[in-house]
Amino acid sequence: MDPLPIHTIICLVCWSFCLLPFYASSSSRLLPDKPLSAGSTITSDDGTFALGFFSPSSSSTKYYYVGIWYRNIPEDNVVWVANRAMPITDPSSATLAFTSGSNLALSDTSGQLLWTTNISAARNSSSEATGGEATLDNNGNFILRSSHGTILWQSFDYPTDTHLPGMNLRITHKMHALQQLISWRNPQDPSPGNFSYSADPDEFRQRITWNGSTPYRRSLVWNNNLVVGKYIESIKSTIYYTLQIIGDEVYASFGLPVPSVSVVLMKIDYLGKMKTQIWNSNSSKWTDLYSGPNQECNKFGYCGPFGYCDNTQPIVTCKCFDGFEPNNKQDWMARRFSQGCHRMEALRCGQGDGFLNMSTMKIPDQFLYVKNRSLDECIAECTSNCSCMAYAYSTMRTNAIDEDDTRCLLWIGDLIGTEKFIGQGENLYIRVNGPSDKNRKSNVLKITLPVVSSLLIIICVCLAWICSFGGKQRNKKIWKKLMSGTSSTSIELRDGNLKYPFINFQEIVLATNNFSNSNMLGHGGFGNVYKATLEDGTEFAVKRLSKGSGQGELEFRNEVILIAKLQHKNLVRLLGFCIHGDEKLLIYEYLPNKSLDAMLFDATRKSMLDWPIRFEITKGVARGLLYLHQDSRLKIIHRDLKASNILLDAEMSPKISDFGMARIFGSNQQQENTNRVVGTYGYMPPEYVLKGVFSVKSDVYSFGVLLLEIVSGSKISSVHLKADFPSIIAYAWSLWKDGNTKDFVDSSIVDSCSLNETIRCVHIGLLCVQGSPNARPLVSSIMSFLENGDISLPPPKEPVYFAEDNHGTDGAAENIVNSKNNMSITALKGR
Ligand SMILES: *[C@@H]1O[C@H](CO)[C@@H](O)[C@H](O)[C@H]1NC(C)=O
Ligand SMILES: *[C@@H]1O[C@H](CO)[C@@H](O)[C@H](O)[C@H]1NC(C)=O
Ligand SMILES: *[C@@H]1O[C@H](CO)[C@@H](O)[C@H](O)[C@H]1NC(C)=O
Ligand SMILES: *[C@@H]1O[C@H](CO)[C@@H](O)[C@H](O)[C@H]1NC(C)=O
Ligand SMILES: *[C@@H]1O[C@H](CO)[C@@H](O)[C@H](O)[C@H]1NC(C)=O
Ligand SMILES: *[C@@H]1O[C@H](CO)[C@@H](O)[C@H](O)[C@H]1NC(C)=O
Ligand SMILES: *[C@@H]1O[C@H](CO)[C@@H](O)[C@H](O)[C@H]1NC(C)=O
Ligand SMILES: *[C@@H]1O[C@H](CO)[C@@H](O)[C@H](O)[C@H]1NC(C)=O
């Protein structure tokens, strides 16, 4: 991406035209009598941009191009290229010059035309032919003017892959051609690649990234604001994205209120990602403020018709709309979503048809825009036509287009390309069957009405009996939900397969002795756990979730029911749940032996855990984790795996608890005021602490820490090690490096252990806590490492250590704010 190095030019020039003096221009203008050749550049007045010859290639056979780049940015600095597809092979022979008309042309000495402005108007008058000039302005726009000062051509009208602030990208094509950004082929080749970015040819309200001629990603649909602002914390400024109507056409632009403060640009990269980038002069790097598609799920059509990509959950994945189910369940579970979903119950198209309200959505593609409709008219329009699957409505607040400030969108047919976000998007209303119109003819209705209503009363009584939720108001609310909600509610009640689908709150209060401290089994950031004993002697554990989990009841229930379906002998069984006011309780099986940490780190009790037991525990935890990561259909990342979350049953078999909490608390991730634990210091991998990035490899890191704890019998941040080492990871590494790993083994198991096995476990533990997630093994590999002692292990590198910091040892919460995802992670010390 560097401009042609001057010494190369000097050599080239000197070699071929030894006697010609080397001439370097630093003007901001190109004049008819001063052509531009390799080695000279045109510089904008303020020195930001340069235009000249450059080669993006680092290989020895170089191709050269004429382009515009940021002068003060060393990498990825090219913003415009003239001869994209017609490279110059010998830069000493090429010049950019005015032609006999007022056009600019790039040609080589053999006379081959490589690029031209090709403006026919410029050829018109001979008086203009003599006088023109081309200037590079401070926005990076190269402008060709006639001698009268009229703009004949400008590079901003012919963008390559970059949209700069100040540039208006034409996104309608009434009178003019549509403008688009076209990616480079690869970072060293500016010729047009497969990806482009432009408005939907039929609909300027949405922009599309194309892979060839197929949509690859869609933008959000322009809503009621023609100006959208996005505050960027790192520069304490707001980026504005604007639609403007100029003449007949609509143009898109963007920028900062004070353009000179920071360098920002939008660009489509060669892999098809549309990015908004900012130059960080501190680190000398481009930082992505936005980049999409971010995940598979964000690709257009990935979730198929009537599926949507849910970006609100920790694991971004496809879902069916409520009341829909996958067309092909096997594919869906194997994460092949493209076949989409269908209605569980066919549309009846009756009078009482309603709409399911989905908020913060990227509304689907292929909408029908109906002009000049009020909200009620828009709803009526959709209701009255049974092919209408959904609508979305908004009123334009600024600069109405076509003097119509309404925006009624209808969908006839499949809903495709839908996504759900946190805090952006709009309401989408999806047609659902009316609740009580099984019978279309009204006289039939009259006859069946009394029957139906008495049935309802019976159901009502039954429900009230099954689930007494406390106060009457609550009952009403739940009842309303059951009735108005989608059919999924009752279906889940039927095959939810929970032992205590709803359990009476009063019963729990009784069984836990009013949540007395003496019944408390443990506590953590998600809430306290109590032992409960029913009158008949049945024992179970109750997790009383911290208040303010904020999740709606329906989502909470759905998540709990999903998680309750996960069953594995190394996972604690979730038996049921209870909602009472803002109390949310989870009912678990009761395990008599408490948690691993209570035994492992207790001087007297640890002797009960000899090495064979510890090794079995290790393998059990790995099996449970493997199930969560790979085998369960939810693909759960635990995110808070630690000794206190491993419970032991009567046979000392381990059971992982607290899994799925990230899902249960999921939709509330963005709120800063919740007291969630999404990790415990020491167990959290560096990429999670620093960037908020988590993956299955984050759990592997935590597993590694756990493994080291099991072998050493010391806590990750054990006090007696602290003097010399920040954590047992550092301690383990130090011993490993010096070949003294046997000193790491807990003295209370030395007699019972196989030294090979323990050393192998330390080795595996060190592999798991490698700084780079890619260097850590998958749980499936760990499983085979543990079960087959013959498999040779790669040598570990020095891991990354995290010292527990000194603040918050009193249990105070500490916020790590990840501004990139707008997500705040509240980390609470384990204990
Ligand atoms: C110039 O434009 C004309 C008409 O728009 C086109 O036919 C011709 O191929 C163009 N020439 C070059 C060199 O691009
Ligand atoms: C160019 O010339 C044609 C005919 O000679 C004329 O119709 C047109 O307006 C001229 N364009 C400009 C930009 O002067
Ligand atoms: C562009 O797409 C074609 C197939 O349509 C493919 O063969 C080619 O490799 C792609 N090029 C790049 C740079 O991705
Ligand atoms: C783009 O489309 C081509 C086929 O036309 C496909 O091979 C390629 O994988 C697609 N690229 C991406 C990034 O999806
Ligand atoms: C660059 O560093 C300065 C001083 O350390 C700081 O004030 C500024 O916010 C940093 N800028 C960015 C973009 O990080
Ligand atoms: C749909 O839901 C959103 C968010 O919950 C709410 O603001 C909006 O008013 C709802 N629409 C209707 C028609 O109830
Ligand atoms: C919008 O519709 C109303 C009647 O519903 C009509 O009076 C008005 O002229 C229409 N406006 C436009 C701009 O079409
Ligand atoms: C429903 O809308 C579609 C698309 O506008 C139209 O083709 C169809 O005729 C309409 N059907 C009825 C019954 O109005």
Side-chain angles (χ1 to χ4, degrees):
M1 264 349 116
D2 294 325
L4 195 62
I6 285 185
H7 64 269
T8 318
I9 304 295
I10 293 173
C11 291
L12 277 171
V13 171
C14 289
W15 184 68
S16 39
F17 316 97
C18 270
L19 298 173
L20 286 181
F22 179 68
Y23 168 71
S25 150
S26 62
S27 156
S28 70
R29 298 188 301 168
L30 181 68
L31 297 167
D33 57 344
K34 281 189 192 157
L36 186 76
S37 53
S40 37
T41 54
I42 291 173
T43 309
S44 64
D45 284 335
D46 68 357
T48 307
F49 291 98
L51 179 145
F53 291 72
F54 73 96
S55 175
S57 166
S58 53
S59 74
S60 54
T61 52
K62 283 192 185 330
Y63 290 118
Y64 293 87
Y65 300 86
V66 167
I68 299 172
W69 61 86
Y70 279 105
R71 271 182 74 235
N72 302 320
I73 291 179
E75 60 182 53
D76 290 339
N77 54 2
V78 177
V79 296
W80 182 79
V81 183
N83 53 323
R84 292 188 79 160
M86 297 282 280
I88 305 159
T89 44
D90 176 7
S92 64
S93 71
T95 49
L96 179 66
F98 278 82
T99 59
S100 52
S102 291
N103 272 308
L104 285 176
L106 175 68
S107 49
D108 62 17
T109 40
S110 65
Q112 195 193 1
L113 183 64
L114 300 170
W115 174 80
T116 168
T117 52
N118 200 12
I119 302 297
S120 54
R123 293 198 196 104
N124 254 10
S125 106
S126 55
S127 66
E128 287 184 351
T130 50
E133 63 166 26
T135 51
L136 181 61
D137 78 2
N138 292 339
N139 289 329
N141 191 9
F142 188 46
I143 305 169
L144 173 62
R145 288 191 174 85
S146 73
S147 54
H148 303 142
T150 44
I151 295 180
L152 301 174
W153 179 94
Q154 53 185 338
S155 62
F156 272 16
D157 286 342
Y158 300 88
T160 52
D161 67 337
T162 307
H163 189 174
L164 290 173
M167 180 192 284
N168 284 323
L169 192 68
R170 188 163 53 240
I171 57 171
T172 52
H173 52 126
K174 288 178 187 157
M175 305 295 288
H176 304 85
L178 190 72
Q179 282 177 346
Q180 57 182 350
L181 307 178
I182 301 177
S183 68
W184 286 28
R185 189 155 287 273
N186 64 51
Q188 317 213 327
D189 181 357
S191 60
N194 285 352
F195 297 97
S196 62
Y197 173 81
S198 64
D200 182 338
D202 307 320
E203 178 47 68
F204 72 90
R205 285 172 185 81
Q206 64 182 8
R207 249 82 43 76
I208 293 183
T209 301
W210 305 87
N211 175 5
S213 55
T214 30
Y216 180 53
R217 180 189 156 261
R218 278 168 68 232
S219 66
L220 287 169
V221 178
W222 282 89
N223 193 359
N224 55 2
N225 292 313
L226 293 182
V227 180
V228 179
K230 192 166 191 260
Y231 183 72
I232 309 294
E233 177 61 40
S234 62
I235 52 169
K236 305 252 184 299
S237 187
T238 303
I239 289 197
Y240 290 99
Y241 298 86
T242 312
L243 283 191
Q244 268 178 292
I245 303 151
I246 304 173
D248 296 321
E249 309 280 10
V250 180
Y251 292 83
S253 60
F254 82 105
L256 297 166
V258 188
S260 59
V261 171
S262 301
V263 173
V264 289
L265 52 75
M266 284 171 76
K267 155 177 189 172
I268 179 158
D269 79 2
Y270 74 103
L271 296 169
K273 289 209 169 177
M274 191 63 209
K275 292 178 168 173
T276 302
Q277 294 184 315
I278 185 164
W279 178 254
N280 184 333
S281 45
N282 290 357
S283 65
S284 247
K285 276 206 172 77
W286 288 104
T287 308
D288 291 350
L289 295 176
Y290 179 77
S291 166
N294 238 346
Q295 319 226 18
E296 288 280 298
C297 191
N298 304 131
K299 294 181 182 172
F300 178 80
Y302 185 74
C303 297
F306 298 107
Y308 66 99
C309 175
D310 188 351
N311 293 283
T312 66
Q313 298 295 316
I315 302 166
V316 172
T317 190
C318 294
K319 288 189 179 163
C320 294
F321 291 122
D322 278 3
F324 288 69
E325 62 186 1
N327 278 325
N328 182 331
K329 286 196 173 115
Q330 245 143 25
D331 272 11
W332 194 268
M333 280 178 215
R335 303 185 63 75
R336 290 187 297 268
F337 302 110
S338 60
Q339 292 195 52
C341 313
H342 64 264
R343 277 179 206 277
M344 289 190 272
E345 192 186 351
L347 272 182
R348 291 189 297 264
C349 291
Q351 285 287 316
D353 276 6
F355 290 93
L356 172 72
N357 180 1
M358 307 225 20
S359 54
T360 59
M361 303 299 283
K362 176 190 280 182
I363 54 179
D365 194 22
Q366 303 286 340
F367 45 80
L368 198 68
Y369 168 50
V370 188
K371 289 188 175 157
N372 195 19
R373 291 282 190 281
S374 70
L375 172 61
D376 289 343
E377 288 166 346
C378 185
I379 297 174
E381 187 95 20
C382 191
T383 315
S384 65
N385 185 335
C386 197
S387 333
C388 179
M389 291 296 147
Y391 73 89
Y393 190 82
S394 109
T395 13
M396 313 290 281
R397 263 186 240 128
T398 32
N399 291 8
I401 293 178
D402 294 341
E403 287 167 9
D404 174 10
D405 64 355
T406 67
R407 200 215 60 182
C408 169
L409 304 180
L410 304 179
W411 282 266
I412 311 292
D414 290 354
L415 305 182
I416 192 152
T418 320
E419 297 191 41
K420 183 169 176 65
F421 294 99
I422 297 171
Q424 51 178 335
E426 57 182 301
N427 298 336
L428 173 69
Y429 299 92
I430 299 170
R431 189 188 203 98
V432 291
N433 278 329
S436 58
D437 75 328
K438 285 220 166 78
N439 310 281
R440 283 184 205 155
K441 286 177 194 161
S442 55
N443 50 350
V444 177
L445 195 67
K446 268 178 207 153
I447 299 164
T448 50
L449 200 60
V451 181
V452 170
S453 47
S454 44
L455 253 176
L456 283 182
I457 290 165
I458 293 169
I459 294 171
C460 193
V461 169
C462 285
L463 274 170
W465 177 69
I466 296 169
C467 46
S468 103
F469 282 87
K472 271 187 182 159
Q473 247 190 329
R474 190 98 229 126
N475 260 333
K476 247 188 204 161
K477 227 172 156 185
I478 296 293
W479 172 241
K480 233 168 110 186
K481 274 228 163 95
L482 287 176
M483 291 318 290
S484 66
T486 58
S487 50
S488 61
T489 302
S490 49
I491 283 167
E492 277 161 4
L493 281 180
R494 257 186 279 121
D495 60 28
N497 195 23
L498 298 183
K499 201 165 170 194
Y500 307 102
F502 292 106
I503 192 157
N504 186 323
F505 184 71
Q506 304 309 333
E507 270 181 292
I508 294 177
V509 170
L510 256 160
T512 57
N513 210 353
N514 197 11
F515 301 109
S516 76
N517 280 344
S518 59
N519 280 48
M520 191 161 13
L521 295 172
H523 55 90
F526 288 121
N528 297 338
V529 184
Y530 300 87
K531 181 178 176 180
T533 315
L534 290 181
E535 273 176 36
D536 65 1
T538 318
E539 291 177 327
F540 54 89
V542 178
K543 175 152 222 152
R544 189 183 193 186
L545 294 184
S546 346
K547 288 185 188 161
S549 81
Q551 224 189 13
E553 279 172 29
L554 217 58
E555 294 110 303
F556 173 78
R557 262 160 28 127
N558 288 344
E559 279 307 326
V560 172
I561 288 169
L562 276 177
I563 285 161
K565 287 178 182 166
L566 299 179
Q567 289 185 33
H568 186 272
K569 69 175 164 41
N570 296 115
L571 299 184
V572 173
R573 282 271 282 136
L574 177 59
L575 303 173
F577 63 99
C578 174
I579 308 171
H580 177 83
D582 54 0
E583 290 275 6
K584 288 182 182 134
L585 306 173
L586 296 175
I587 319 294
Y588 288 101
E589 66 179 316
Y590 173 71
L591 296 166
N593 271 337
K594 297 196 181 168
S595 56
L596 177 59
D597 67 330
M599 304 200 66
L600 191 59
F601 306 136
D602 182 290
T604 51
R605 280 197 275 184
K606 65 163 47 173
S607 60
M608 288 163 72
L609 299 175
D610 62 10
W611 175 248
I613 292 180
R614 291 192 195 188
F615 196 47
E616 281 311 311
I617 289 174
T618 305
K619 288 191 277 190
V621 173
R623 269 182 226 112
L625 205 53
L626 184 65
Y627 175 80
L628 288 178
H629 285 183
Q630 288 192 2
D631 301 335
S632 82
R633 62 193 187 92
L634 297 180
K635 310 247 178 261
I636 284 185
I637 300 174
H638 190 295
R639 299 216 283 172
D640 197 18
L641 189 69
K642 54 180 174 183
S644 58
N645 275 336
I646 308 297
L647 305 187
L648 300 173
D649 70 6
E651 277 84 48
M652 291 289 181
S653 171
K655 286 168 183 276
I656 301 174
S657 76
D658 255 14
F659 55 87
M661 293 314 265
R663 286 184 66 108
I664 287 179
F665 279 73
S667 66
N668 208 33
Q669 288 281 313
Q670 79 281 20
Q671 288 198 10
E672 291 184 21
N673 56 356
T674 56
N675 297 318
R676 293 172 332 275
V677 168
V678 243
T680 302
Y681 270 109
Y683 288 91
M684 285 194 283
E687 74 275 10
Y688 188 21
V689 176
L690 300 178
K691 300 187 217 142
V693 177
F694 52 84
S695 66
V696 289
K697 295 295 184 68
S698 322
D699 279 353
V700 167
Y701 185 97
S702 309
F703 179 81
V705 173
L706 183 68
L707 193 46
L708 295 178
E709 289 181 333
I710 289 176
V711 175
S712 68
S714 307
K715 274 193 208 181
I716 173 75
S717 49
S718 186
V719 182
H720 72 267
L721 293 170
K722 242 184 176 170
D724 295 321
F725 302 100
S727 75
I728 59 164
I729 297 178
Y731 182 51
W733 171 253
S734 152
L735 293 173
W736 172 270
K737 171 169 68 102
D738 300 337
N740 296 328
T741 307
K742 60 178 188 326
D743 296 345
F744 186 72
V745 178
D746 190 348
S747 56
S748 62
I749 55 167
V750 168
D751 297 335
S752 67
C753 78
S754 133
L755 204 56
N756 280 347
E757 258 173 22
T758 49
I759 290 177
R760 192 172 167 82
C761 282
V762 174
H763 190 163
I764 296 169
L766 286 172
L767 290 175
C768 292
V769 295
Q770 297 288 296
S772 155
N774 289 336
R776 299 174 207 148
L778 282 168
V779 185
S780 48
S781 315
I782 296 173
M783 226 26 258
S784 46
F785 294 162
L786 289 171
E787 282 179 342
N788 186 346
D790 295 336
I791 299 178
S792 64
L793 306 176
K797 293 209 185 81
E798 180 166 9
V800 176
Y801 317 125
F802 269 96
E804 192 165 12
D805 66 9
N806 295 325
H807 316 291
T809 33
D810 53 357
E814 173 154 338
N815 284 322
I816 304 163
V817 175
N818 175 1
S819 61
K820 197 173 167 194
N821 307 351
N822 266 340
M823 190 171 79
S824 133
I825 302 161
T826 308
L828 208 78
K829 306 279 167 173
R831 51 202 58 224

